[in-house]
Amino acid sequence: MSTAAETALRRVQPDEEPVAFPRRKRRIRGRQIAILAFLTICALFFCVPLYVIVVTSLKSMDQIRQGDIFALPWSLNFDAWWTAWSKSCSGTSCHGVKAGFINSLEILFPSLILSIAVSSVTGYALALWNVKWANTFLFVLFVCAFVPFQIIMVPLIVITGFMKIYGTIWAIAVVHAALSMPLLTLIFRNYYKGIPQEIMSAAMMDSGSFWRIFGEIILPMSGNIMIVVLILQITSVWNDFLIGLTYGGIGTQPMTVILANVVITALGEANYNVDMAAALLTAFPPLVIYFVLGRFFVQGITAGAIKG
């Protein structure tokens, strides 16, 4: 029986192996060359200034005076970094940018909590509950998202003064949260709009209240969009200069304001290596966030964070 089966299989199988045709070589087209050249120019546009900043921060002032900004440092010297962190002068205070780093952290966490808590609940209500005047409210939010900050800067000064928080950390945090509300609410609303209505109907049938559904069902499904909002808000708050300068007082200014004061404060000579090191120290936290959470940011965007 086995011999007959083997004979049948030999008859079915072809005697000769299939001919393997060589793969056609892909030609590089002119459009591809143009795209590659354009992307290379864009990369150099950002990388060249960053290279100059890094190498300048590692040079001594004697080498900087030579005038060759693209030259590598003669020796690795991190004295400028230490001076920028703990000894550089901002006005009459010579405590470095570390004071601004602490202030920025104290501003960042309250603003994150306020903005994400309020905007996520608002977006959830607008997307999954029958809220009266929801479309009108969405239109107002859309308009407010494009209102220049300079128009409402003075009214916000009056409001924070009335609240007795002007010149404090809380004033900066509250203003950041208020300004981010329109955009973050629209992002959360568009994301929650993609949740199937059947889930909401089943939750309501199980006697789920507004807050119970939000805490037990919606929040566990919001991991991707939370990462997107966190990156957007951390970058916005940390890199802000005008709000910290306008609403912060002495001792509550963020790191960007301290950096500007370090650059314009010169005692005898301009220490360009210290200025560059201070700029890198200020930009370092958002870069770390992007490197750590960048992959999740892309996942959140593709999951529907900015969909219509």
Side-chain angles (χ1 to χ4, degrees):
M1 190 71 179
S2 60
T3 306
E6 291 176 358
T7 305
L9 286 174
R10 292 194 191 98
R11 291 176 181 176
V12 172
Q13 292 178 352
D15 296 336
E16 298 180 358
E17 295 182 357
V19 179
F21 293 97
R23 184 177 296 179
R24 296 180 59 184
K25 295 182 179 180
R26 297 182 60 182
R27 296 180 179 179
I28 300 177
R29 300 179 180 179
R31 182 178 63 180
Q32 295 176 336
I33 297 176
I35 294 175
L36 182 61
F38 174 75
L39 294 177
T40 303
I41 293 173
C42 291
L44 291 175
F45 181 79
F46 291 99
C47 292
V48 171
L50 179 61
Y51 167 80
V52 173
I53 293 174
V54 172
V55 297
T56 303
S57 68
L58 299 174
K59 294 178 181 178
S60 63
M61 284 303 300
D62 292 334
Q63 184 180 0
I64 292 175
R65 294 188 189 97
Q66 300 291 329
D68 190 359
I69 62 175
F70 296 104
L72 293 174
W74 294 335
S75 61
L76 291 179
N77 187 358
F78 292 94
D79 292 341
W81 289 69
W82 175 251
T83 301
W85 177 253
S86 60
K87 298 180 181 179
S88 57
C89 295
S90 172
T92 58
S93 176
C94 296
H95 301 291
V97 296
K98 64 180 180 181
F101 178 80
I102 297 173
N103 291 338
S104 292
L105 289 179
E106 293 178 352
I107 294 169
L108 179 63
F109 288 109
S111 62
L112 286 178
I113 295 173
L114 288 173
S115 59
I116 293 178
V118 177
S119 59
S120 61
V121 173
T122 307
Y124 156 68
L126 293 175
L128 302 176
W129 291 80
N130 294 323
V131 180
K132 190 177 181 180
W133 308 107
N135 292 331
T136 304
F137 185 68
L138 280 175
F139 177 76
V140 173
L141 281 178
F142 184 78
V143 172
C144 291
F146 295 96
V147 174
F149 166 68
Q150 290 78 6
I151 295 178
I152 59 176
M153 183 169 62
V154 175
L156 286 176
I157 292 175
V158 175
I159 294 174
T160 54
F162 179 78
M163 296 171 62
K164 308 296 183 183
I165 60 174
Y166 181 76
T168 65
I169 294 291
W170 282 102
I172 306 174
V174 168
V175 172
H176 275 298
L179 294 179
S180 64
M181 270 289 297
L183 179 60
L184 297 189
T185 300
L186 291 173
I187 291 177
F188 276 112
R189 184 260 179 190
N190 290 341
Y191 182 81
Y192 292 149
K193 202 69 177 176
I195 296 178
Q197 190 62 35
E198 290 78 9
I199 296 179
M200 289 294 298
S201 301
M204 293 178 186
M205 290 178 62
D206 291 338
S207 301
S209 62
F210 179 91
W211 294 108
R212 184 180 178 185
I213 295 174
F214 180 72
E216 297 181 4
I217 298 177
I218 302 301
L219 274 184
M221 301 173 63
S222 305
N224 289 330
I225 192 61
M226 287 295 180
I227 295 297
V228 173
V229 171
L230 274 175
I231 292 178
L232 292 176
Q233 192 66 358
I234 288 174
T235 306
S236 175
V237 173
W238 192 272
N239 292 336
D240 170 73
F241 173 79
L242 185 57
I243 296 177
L245 179 65
T246 305
Y247 299 93
I250 299 176
T252 61
Q253 295 172 334
M255 201 171 184
T256 51
V257 177
I258 301 297
L259 171 64
N261 292 337
V262 167
V263 173
I264 65 176
T265 302
L267 300 176
E269 65 175 357
N271 296 318
Y272 297 110
N273 51 356
V274 176
D275 296 342
M276 299 301 178
L280 289 173
L281 289 170
T282 305
F284 188 70
L287 290 177
V288 172
I289 296 297
Y290 271 114
F291 281 119
V292 173
L293 301 178
R295 178 169 58 91
F296 302 100
F297 180 81
V298 175
Q299 291 179 359
I301 293 294
T302 56
I306 315 295
K307 68 182 180 180

